[in-house]
Each structure stands twice: as structure tokens, then as C-alpha cells.
Amino acid sequence: MIELISPTRCTGCNICVAICPMDVFQAASGQAKGAAPAIARQSDCQTCFLCEAHCPDDALYVAPDAETVTGIAEEAVAAAGLFGSYRRAIGWSDGHRDNRSADQTFRLLAPH
Amino acid sequence: MANAPGAPANPSASSLEFDAHLEADVLVLGGGPAGTWAAIAAATAGARTVLADKGFCGTSGATAASGTTLWYVDPDPAKRAAAKAAREGLGGHLADHGWMDRVLDRTHAAVGQLADWGYPFPRDADGRDRRVSVQGPEYMRLMRRRVKQAGVTILDHCPALELLVDDGGAVAGAAGVRRQKGGGWAVRAKAVVIATGGCAFLSKALGCNVLTGDGLLMAAEAGADLSGMEFSNAYAIAPAFGSVTKTLLYQWASFTRADGAVIPGAASKGGRSVIARVLATEPVYARLDRAEPELSAAMRQAQPNFFLPFDRVGIDPFTQRFPVTLRLEGTVRGTGGLRLVNERCATAVPGLFAAGDAATREPICGGFTGGGSHNAAWAMSSGHWAGQGAADHARALGNGARALRRAGGAGLGEGRGAAIDAGALTRAVQAEVFPYHINYFRTEEGLTGALTRLDRLWSDAAGAAPSSADDSLRVREAAAMLATARWMYRSALARTESRGMHRRLDHAALDPAQRHLLTVGGLDEVHVSARPAPLHPDPVGAKRELAA
Ligand SMILES: Cc1cc2nc3c(=O)[nH]c(=O)nc-3n(C[C@H](O)[C@H](O)[C@H](O)COP(=O)(O)OP(=O)(O)OC[C@H]3O[C@@H](n4cnc5c(N)ncnc54)[C@H](O)[C@@H]3O)c2cc1C
Ligand code: SF4
Ligand code: SF4
């Protein structure tokens, strides 16, 4: 489930608000431009990790637990190197673009 | 026009207000692979096209979150014949070789188009493009871009709740709510494509919680029927704590009990029911210890999302055991859906087309998909044909005036009954469809008991209204899951044999006399009837089946 948005990393671009298929986030209200959105409907989160994939600033963390909030702290996520880890794996962050075409599924499938 | 745009067609039918009105030739509901291919095909054929998604076109649906292998086979007759034969028996000899040929051709062309559009297919050691799989985020981001470039208007966070129909009963648009902007929307259209995916009953299978069978309910309310709904009990393996129901890599897993004893017969392919039996009473553990060590890097590169749960809780799945569960994916990796009446993917209702998981996939996989490739090929192909079919229908229809009314029923009513508690209804439906002893291992007794309870829920829900406008989406989702469950179980009761993924404990064998397809439909009264399966494409298979 979505656990946290790092207020120091987040630039308030609201991309996650737009792209979350379950409409979990709420943009900060008008006067707070640049502020991080709120995780407004946490229990609606389907644990699909797509907000992490689309966040340009590696500011979100989704814990794999689909049912309960773990309460993990930002420092622990950072210390484990987990911010941005999904984006790096799929080649969506600088320095890792080669991973976009690294899909090795063809080696795992039995030949047709 | 009888109803000027701006005036709700039949305001008394519902309390919704429309804050946004659009007119289109073709309206596509759903923006997964099927909906995006449909929208591109319709727009390319010259139709003014609108696409409305419950979530966000590009991240919503089963593919965006998971990624898929593709039924991509070179046009070499021997390879094609082998690809078709490979699933003949698993699918219960119900597939249609004519459709399989069309889908193999169309998929080959569509994947070629993806490459031309810049999808970064990997290269093998010989420098050849390998096109047998796509990564979900990458594929759907590209599809969104192409939909926009085709000139399609996208309505994100705009779930459709009901269809609009004209006096003659033809489908003429849809209406829904705007989750982020508030209020309602309506689009008048000359043809509508249902591409809302399957129904996974809010099981939190990867990417599937937007998939609650809404399109099936809407289409049935307009008079469409369904097929293959007995093939709706797909359960996928996932770590017990997580949502990631990717199953390919479990072919290298060993499955054990708490004490470490290997469970005889347990396997991802061909032994999943063994896992379900043990899970009914005790935990099951897995470890990917049958993989050659040199494959593990390839596995990470093939399925980065498979490893997210493990990396995040600090488990090495190759050396450490972890508990697993089976999450219901319902019709998403089943095969049932709206019945198609022709190769343009039209349904039985004029103006209404269906594609992807919302349409029955029996034409290419009979009664089984489980893992791998056919679903994605079907979404690309049926989406393309439905979009073209809808554009042609729109062109033929012309610009005559039509009076419209709303076709939606359950959960949208004036509140004849009590207001529905969406959460309570959802849990009541889940209690009938999640348990392995009802849905995986089916018996007459289990199915009849569930149907009695589901029918009672339906008679309460049919006339009820949402408790608030904010709740209207959740209530309609619950009603759609309820309707879907009743079609599933009526069909499952009617098929007194085991075929494809449908297993009856009380009719464990395949019955050659039941090599037919089941049409199911209706709301207050659910009706099932058999229709002939395609001519047997495979005489050897037919003989084998008779001997069984
Ligand atoms: C974990 C997993 C792995 C899979 N792996 C494979 C594989 O390897 N190979 C394969 O072939 N298939 C695979 N599948 C199946 C494949 O993902 C689906 O068949 C495919 O996504 C179907 O495409 P679709 O467009 O019909 O539906 P989806 O991709 O599910 O999209 C449906 C869309 O409709 C929208 N929608 C729903 N309700 C409404 C509404 N009321 N109004 C408006 N929009 C609505 C949703 O938001 C969503 O965007 C897998 C599925 C899962 C869950
Ligand atoms: S996408 Fe990332 S940076 Fe943008 S608002 Fe969301 S968390 Fe902040
Ligand atoms: S994991 Fe998926 S559902 Fe959850 S907040 Fe992120 S994008 Fe939304």
C-alpha cells in the first residue's frame, strides 16, 4: 500500500494525483502551490506501484503489503535505497535508460 | 435532435447531473490495451472518438501494472499450427481456428506497429528484436501517447455508470461520474465500445481493482448477453503479503508446508489446485530453488515488478521460503465476457461493440487462459476490430435525431428499496466468490447455495439507490460484481462436467456431449442456454476426447 510521500523530495507536480488509477491522492489546495499532495484515500490503494514509476522525483514509497499500513519511516526507505528503485529497474530514470529494452522474457519462455 | 445536448435525456431515471456533455461518433469505455487499440482504430477510420476511463488511460487496468507476454508467432505455417495446437486440449476444444488465425495475423501486425512507434523491444545475442512480451508501464504509456496523437479526446477519472439507448434500443452513448472534478458526464455517440476489462472482485490482484465488471452490467442492461462465464475462476499465486500476481516464475518454485515438507503435485502449472487444497487449512511456502542460477538475472530483467515485494521486505526468493496465497482474478485471466455476434466484435445490441477482457475470449482460447499471451493478443486484435466496426456503424447511421434514455438499473434507482451500503454488498459478494470450496472446486450443492444468497442480494439491490452521490460509483461496482457472480455460477451449474478451467468435483470428467458454448444473460432472471461450439478443428483431438 502507498506509505508515504517525502515532503523534501516532492516538488508538488501532482503527476501522481493525475495518474493513480485508484484516485488515492488529493492535490494540495490552491495557496499551497508546490506542496506535496495528501494520501487521501489510502485504503483504496491497489498496490500497483505505478505512482512510483511515474513520479519524476522519486518521492513516493509503496510498501508491498496490500492489506495493512506498515508505518515505515522515510529514513528507513532512504537507507535501504528504495526510493526510485522501481523506476531504475524499468529504465525510467537517468543513468538506467538501458533497462527499458532489457526485458529477457524471451529467454524464459519455452520456444513456440 | 430530440434532446438538445445539455439536457439530461431522462432526468427522472437517476439523480445524476451532467456537468460535461460531449458528442462523438464512437465512445470507447476503458483505456487499457483493448480500449486504446479500439480508439486508435476508430479515429484512424475517421470517427470523432472519445475514450473514458475509470482511472487514468495509461496506468489503469491489468496490463499497465503487470505487463504481458504476447501470442506473437511468425507467419510460418508450422509454427502457427503448433501455436494453435498447444492450447487445444487445455481450452477444452472450444476455440475456433478461424478466429485464432485472424488474431495471430492481427497481433503480428499490431506488434510490428508497436515497434514502428518506438516500443523498445529487447534484442537477443544475434541482434534480433524479440517481440514476445511487453512491459506494462512502458507499453501503456506509449499507447496513451498514440491515442492522443490520433486525435482522440480522453476523459480520465470518468467511470461510466450506464449506457444511453435510443427508442429502438440501439446504444447511443453513456453517462457516468467525474471522480476528480465532481458531478456527472454524458457522451452521445453513434456507437459504443465496451473495453472495461474483466471482473476480479476487488481482490487486489495486480492492477485489477478497477476491474469490477461494470461494462458487463451496463451492456446486459441494454440487452447484451454473455458467453463462457463458467470460465471465471482464475486464481493466481502471489506472496501472501502482497499484490503481485505474476505467475511465470513460479514454474521454478518448489512448494512446501510449514515443516518444510514438499507438497506432492503442487506446481504453478498443472498443480495449482493442489496448492488451493492445502491453503484451505494451512499456509503454503514457495522458493524459486529450481531455477538455474544463471537465469536469475534474466528473471529480474524480465519481470522487475515480480521482485518488488521481495526486495522491499528483504527476502531472497531464490534461497528463502516465503508464504504464498492465491488471489482471485475472476474473468481477467478467465475467458468469459460479452458474446460477440460477428468478426467486427459487435454484441447482440445494435451500436454496441466489445473488446478485450470484457468480451468472451472463447474464440481463441476456449475455456482456459491462465497465464500467458492469448489475453494480450485478444485485447490488441479485438480492440482494433471493435474500433473499426464501431466507426463503420457510426458512418452508416448518419446524423438523424434520436431521443435517448438511460439504460442503467441496479443501484441507480429512485430508492424503492433501502439505500445500498456498497462496502457491505461487496463483502457479501466476495464471500461467495473468493472461497476455493465454492468457486475453485465447484459442486451443485456449493453453487446452488451461493446462488440462493446472491439472488437474494440482487433482489434487494435491484431497486435500491446509492446512499449519496459520492457513493454511486462504489454502489454500481458492487452491483456489477453481484451480477457477474450470478452469471458465473448459473453457467457453472449448467455445465455438468469439467472442461477448461471450470472444475466440478461432482462431475470430474470431461463430457464429450457438452462440447458446446453457454450463453448467459438476464438480470432479475438469469437464463443459460447452450449453442454449438465451432466445428471440431482438430480431428485427432476429437478422437482423443471421445476416448477420454
Ligand atoms: C498479474 C497479471 C498478469 C497477466 N499476464 C498476462 C500475460 O502474460 N499475457 C497475457 O496475454 N495476459 C496477461 N494478463 C491478462 C491481461 O492483462 C489482460 O487480458 C488485459 O489487460 C486485458 O486488456 P483490457 O484492455 O481488456 O483490460 P484492462 O487492461 O484491464 O483495462 C480495462 C480498463 O477499463 C477501465 N474501466 C473499468 N471499468 C470502467 C468503467 N466503468 N468506465 C470506464 N472505464 C472503466 C479500467 O480503468 C481499465 O483502464 C495478466 C493479467 C494479470 C492481472
Ligand atoms: S509525482 Fe512525485 S513529485 Fe509529483 S506530486 Fe507526486 S510525489 Fe510529488
Ligand atoms: S500503488 Fe497504485 S493504487 Fe496505490 S497509490 Fe500508487 S498508483 Fe495509486
Side-chain angles (χ1 to χ4, degrees):
Chain A
M1 209 180 288
I2 176 74
E3 285 278 340
L4 55 89
I5 300 178
S6 158
T8 49
R9 291 165 177 261
C10 174
T11 57
C13 70
N14 288 331
I15 288 175
C16 56
V17 179
I19 68 88
C20 169
M22 297 302 294
D23 193 26
V24 163
F25 304 101
Q26 189 77 46
S29 55
Q31 56 268 46
K33 268 237 162 346
I39 299 172
R41 288 165 289 273
Q42 193 170 21
S43 61
D44 285 347
C45 173
Q46 62 172 353
T47 317
C48 66
F49 305 98
L50 284 165
C51 48
E52 278 194 33
H54 284 267
C55 172
D57 294 295
D58 296 343
L60 296 149
Y61 179 68
V62 179
D65 195 310
E67 322 291 344
T68 46
V69 178
T70 63
I72 188 169
E74 180 180 343
E75 297 69 42
V77 176
L82 292 172
F83 278 119
S85 55
Y86 187 33
R87 290 180 77 225
R88 292 192 288 277
I90 61 174
W92 280 16
S93 51
D94 288 340
H96 302 270
R97 300 281 170 197
D98 285 355
N99 284 345
R100 283 181 68 211
S101 54
D103 183 355
Q104 298 295 298
T105 304
F106 65 89
R107 289 176 53 202
L108 305 176
L109 298 175
H112 279 297
Chain B
M1 270 225 187
N3 285 55
N10 177 4
S12 67
S14 157
S15 57
L16 288 176
E17 306 240 310
F18 298 146
D19 297 301
H21 295 259
L22 288 170
E23 302 243 354
D25 295 323
V26 172
L27 170 63
V28 178
L29 301 179
T36 50
W37 281 103
I40 291 169
T44 306
R48 281 176 313 160
T49 305
V50 175
L51 183 158
D53 197 291
K54 181 192 280 187
F56 180 85
C57 170
T59 61
S60 201
T63 291
S66 62
T68 55
T69 53
L70 305 171
W71 206 32
Y72 179 83
V73 186
D74 290 334
D76 161 334
K79 285 187 187 168
R80 290 275 172 101
K84 289 187 285 180
R87 300 289 283 263
E88 194 62 58
L90 272 177
H93 306 275
L94 294 176
D96 181 318
H97 276 227
W99 272 98
M100 287 198 247
D101 288 330
R102 297 179 72 222
V103 167
L104 282 164
D105 283 344
R106 182 64 228 155
T107 302
H108 201 269
V111 173
Q113 195 140 49
L114 283 179
D116 293 344
W117 290 342
Y119 181 89
F121 285 106
R123 296 248 157 91
D124 63 17
D126 301 329
R128 282 188 308 152
D129 253 20
R130 299 303 294 260
R131 301 183 177 178
V132 291
S133 59
V134 281
Q135 297 293 337
E138 187 78 40
Y139 172 34
M140 293 314 299
R141 182 173 70 169
L142 174 61
M143 290 306 288
R144 180 182 178 91
R145 199 179 305 140
R146 298 305 305 194
V147 167
K148 282 186 152 174
Q149 282 172 8
V152 174
T153 302
I154 300 178
L155 306 177
D156 294 308
H157 298 291
C158 283
L161 297 190
E162 59 183 324
L163 294 175
L164 305 176
V165 297
D166 72 11
D167 284 344
V171 169
V177 290
R178 305 194 300 176
R179 287 198 309 191
Q180 296 194 333
K181 293 181 179 154
W185 61 268
V187 175
R188 289 168 163 269
K190 294 172 187 166
V192 174
V193 178
I194 302 271
T196 48
C199 181
F201 299 96
L202 298 177
S203 68
K204 293 201 171 169
L206 190 59
C208 289
N209 268 25
V210 284
L211 308 173
T212 46
D214 311 356
L216 309 183
L217 174 60
M218 285 186 265
E221 288 168 338
D225 54 23
L226 301 98
S227 181
M229 289 303 285
E230 67 276 34
F231 308 121
S232 48
N233 51 342
Y235 286 88
I237 306 176
F241 51 88
S243 60
V244 180
T245 43
K246 305 270 291 179
T247 52
L248 179 72
L249 303 188
Y250 288 104
Q251 64 185 293
W252 289 283
S254 60
F255 296 93
T256 45
R257 294 178 195 270
D259 64 4
V262 170
I263 302 167
S268 176
K269 282 187 194 161
R272 211 173 283 182
S273 58
V274 176
I275 298 174
R277 279 218 177 75
V278 179
L279 272 175
T281 55
E282 58 181 293
V284 172
Y285 296 82
R287 180 168 54 200
L288 306 182
D289 49 13
R290 297 156 77 155
E292 314 273 319
E294 60 270 25
L295 265 190
S296 62
M299 290 179 183
R300 282 191 169 272
Q301 289 176 309
Q303 301 204 337
N305 49 7
F306 177 87
F307 291 92
L308 293 175
F310 304 113
D311 292 348
R312 286 167 190 224
V313 299
I315 291 174
D316 176 353
F318 297 105
T319 60
Q320 287 173 285
R321 299 198 309 156
F322 52 93
V324 292
T325 189
L326 293 172
R327 284 188 191 270
L328 181 65
E329 291 182 341
T331 70
V332 173
R333 280 200 270 192
T335 73
L338 294 165
R339 183 174 69 90
L340 303 179
V341 299
N342 60 28
E343 295 189 340
R344 327 229 53 198
C345 300
T347 69
V349 182
L352 188 65
F353 295 75
D357 288 358
T360 178
R361 277 153 281 166
E362 289 163 301
I364 63 160
C365 28
F368 182 91
T369 68
S373 69
H374 289 59
N375 303 315
W378 177 250
M380 290 177 174
S381 306
S382 61
H384 179 81
W385 292 319
Q388 282 188 334
D392 289 349
H393 182 90
R395 196 177 309 112
L397 197 62
N399 291 319
R402 294 201 285 172
L404 305 191
R405 68 182 168 77
R406 295 169 169 207
L412 293 173
E414 295 280 67
R416 277 185 282 128
I420 302 181
D421 176 341
L425 181 56
T426 297
R427 286 188 293 277
V429 174
Q430 288 173 332
E432 305 299 340
V433 296
F434 283 174
Y436 312 137
H437 70 274
I438 306 178
N439 197 8
Y440 207 152
F441 308 111
R442 295 166 165 183
T443 62
E444 180 173 344
E445 198 192 346
L447 294 168
T448 310
L451 276 167
T452 307
R453 295 183 292 273
L454 291 166
D455 287 347
R456 203 177 304 132
L457 290 172
W458 180 264
S459 57
D460 292 343
S467 48
S468 73
D470 283 352
D471 220 24
S472 54
L473 171 61
R474 293 290 175 243
V475 166
R476 279 295 273 178
E477 290 180 336
M481 290 187 281
L482 174 56
T484 303
R486 293 168 72 234
W487 294 318
M488 277 164 50
Y489 283 175
R490 284 269 181 261
S491 305
L493 203 51
R495 195 177 277 288
T496 50
E497 62 161 350
S498 294
R499 185 184 290 268
M501 65 170 54
H502 164 72
R503 306 162 161 264
R504 287 281 299 260
L505 285 188
D506 48 354
H507 296 280
L510 182 138
D511 170 11
Q514 295 187 53
R515 202 184 75 80
H516 51 219
L517 301 165
L518 293 179
T519 305
V520 64
L523 295 161
D524 294 338
E525 291 296 326
V526 174
H527 46 80
V528 182
S529 58
R531 59 185 208 285
L535 286 182
H536 214 300
D538 165 18
V540 183
K543 269 197 216 117
R544 235 188 285 122
E545 190 180 328
L546 281 171

